[in-house]
Amino acid sequence: MTLGLPARAQPHVELVGRVTASRTVLGQRRVGKARYVAISDLFYRDQLAIVEILDLATRSVVQVKARRATLERRFGSRPQAEIVLYRNGVVGLAVQSAGEAGARHYWYAELDAQTGKLVRSVDLAMLGEGNLLEIIGADPVGGDAWFAITEVVGRRTSVVLRRLELGSLEVHDEQRVALIARGHGADREHAVTVHAAADFSQFAIVEYVERAAGMPPGHVYVVDRSTESAAGTTFHVEAPPTAYGVAFAPDHRYIYLGSAQLGTISRIDVAGRRIDKQVAAPHYLHHLVISPGGTLFAFASSNTYAVYDLPHLKTRHDAAHPAGVAPAMVELHGNGVASLDGAFFVVPDVEDRKHAANDRSYVIARLVD
């Protein structure tokens, strides 16, 4: 008699653990190797300036402290900063001058994680009112950090992809994408988010569209640098409303867009320069994550999630989050982040009165193929 092999488990989410960190904004950013996730922006406590990084390998929070005066001597009074990368005992920050309006000065700066000493810094941009700089991410292999600058000149808006060589600190503008005027003078007419593939060979510039608010149609602009023949090819497709979730196929053939408002996932065929498929997905969809085994996980503000086979977006199954993960996922609202390899997903836990007023718990989930 031959014994049958055990049935292969469906892809699923499992609870790994929790960590406690400061009650700040979740950075929603992978900051170098697969094991590190930014869990805060820069915040101040007494005379210290602090940032926090989650180490997924040890499930512990790395807290980097610098003297507030150290930053203020270089960048002015009470500068703001977000984490760009963390590696080799150094934390890289995108720093901006304080102030509610007017011109903003942006720098890239590195702090020694042990001593808090300012190691080096360089100017990134000086931007006028209404222009913004956004961190796209850092490339731990190629030694680059990437930023998106939204420039508004009159009625024309462009997005510039700016690359910083981390070795030399030289700045290069790799691509400028002119956005099509949307008309109607709508608020947030060109509110965009910029997403990138893990190797920064492809970018998606996603315009915010919300149908219930009467906003005009927008676009998703794709920049493809994945092959020598592509060499910065750009094209655009119509943007689904509230397209928060974006995922890039590892083979560069497709980009997946999740609409929170419609409850759909759209597939962009990069070679064909079009949306070639759309399937139903959870409503209030916030994140799309491709796991190490090539499965697409769709996370929404819900106690359930959906899983799809790729590249055809065949629905594999819907499943309930495990008990320890479900409460946090119900209150997701976009404040989650996947590790660079797609193996983990981190989300703030629900409020817990047992924690100190300045602390908050974060849930770490593993995506299992």
Side-chain angles (χ1 to χ4, degrees), residues 29-315:
R29 187 171 302 109
R30 293 80 68 95
V31 289
K33 296 181 179 179
R35 63 186 284 182
Y36 297 122
V37 167
I39 209 167
S40 81
D41 297 334
L42 182 75
F43 62 96
Y44 294 95
R45 188 169 290 168
D46 298 324
Q47 297 305 309
L48 294 176
I50 305 170
V51 292
E52 293 177 325
I53 302 102
L54 172 59
D55 184 342
L56 289 165
T58 61
R59 295 197 288 279
S60 62
V61 176
V62 179
Q63 192 175 74
V64 179
K65 300 178 181 179
R67 290 177 57 83
R68 176 174 170 173
T70 298
L71 298 184
E72 293 190 329
R73 279 195 298 268
R74 175 66 178 89
F75 309 115
S77 176
R78 204 175 177 85
Q80 303 171 41
E82 298 176 79
I83 301 171
V84 178
L85 65 90
Y86 177 72
R87 63 179 183 183
N88 302 327
V90 171
V91 60
L93 303 173
V95 183
Q96 65 171 302
S97 55
E100 296 299 323
R104 289 287 185 97
H105 197 162
Y106 293 84
W107 302 266
Y108 172 77
E110 291 182 345
L111 300 176
D112 183 291
Q114 292 295 321
T115 66
K117 180 181 177 180
L118 180 62
V119 178
R120 57 180 186 160
S121 63
V122 66
D123 283 17
L124 274 180
M126 176 67 81
L127 302 181
E129 185 174 2
N131 297 346
L132 299 171
L133 180 143
E134 173 188 350
I135 301 168
I136 303 175
D139 175 6
V141 178
D144 297 318
W146 289 83
F147 306 88
I149 297 174
T150 303
E151 294 182 344
V152 181
V153 179
R155 296 184 61 83
R156 296 186 176 183
T157 303
S158 299
V159 175
V160 178
L161 301 181
R162 181 161 292 179
R163 178 174 63 89
L164 173 67
E165 290 186 37
L166 296 173
S168 64
L169 293 187
E170 292 182 359
V171 176
H172 306 272
D173 285 348
E174 299 291 348
Q175 200 90 8
R176 179 183 295 271
V177 180
L179 308 187
I180 300 168
R182 296 172 64 185
H184 306 297
D187 292 339
R188 296 174 292 179
E189 177 179 341
H190 283 301
V192 300
T193 54
V194 182
H195 307 261
D199 61 359
F200 295 90
S201 64
Q202 291 177 327
F203 299 84
I205 301 167
V206 181
E207 288 188 314
Y208 183 78
V209 178
E210 187 177 343
R211 290 184 178 176
M215 298 180 71
H219 300 90
V220 176
Y221 299 83
V222 175
V223 178
D224 185 16
R225 301 161 51 89
S226 61
T227 63
E228 186 174 338
S229 60
T233 298
T234 64
F235 65 92
H236 63 268
V237 298
E238 184 174 344
T242 59
Y244 301 135
V246 180
F248 295 79
D251 62 5
H252 308 126
R253 292 176 58 194
Y254 301 108
I255 301 172
Y256 302 93
L257 308 171
S259 169
Q261 189 174 8
L262 297 183
T264 59
I265 297 173
S266 301
R267 185 179 74 176
I268 299 177
D269 176 352
V270 175
R273 302 187 181 188
R274 64 190 180 96
I275 292 176
D276 69 343
K277 191 165 190 177
Q278 187 177 85
V279 299
H283 279 83
Y284 311 113
L285 176 63
H286 288 289
H287 295 272
L288 297 178
V289 183
I290 298 178
S291 66
T295 301
L296 183 68
F297 285 77
F299 295 129
S301 298
S302 171
N303 59 9
T304 63
Y305 60 95
V307 176
Y308 301 82
D309 285 332
L310 296 181
H312 302 298
L313 286 176
K314 179 181 177 182
T315 303

Side-chain angles (χ1 to χ4, degrees), residues 18 300-302 321 323-333 335 347-350 361-363:
R18 289 180 174 81
S301 298
S302 171
H321 284 288
V325 176
M329 297 302 291
V330 169
E331 298 186 4
L332 179 61
H333 304 309
N335 289 327
V347 61
D349 205 351
V350 293
S361 176
Y362 295 83
V363 173

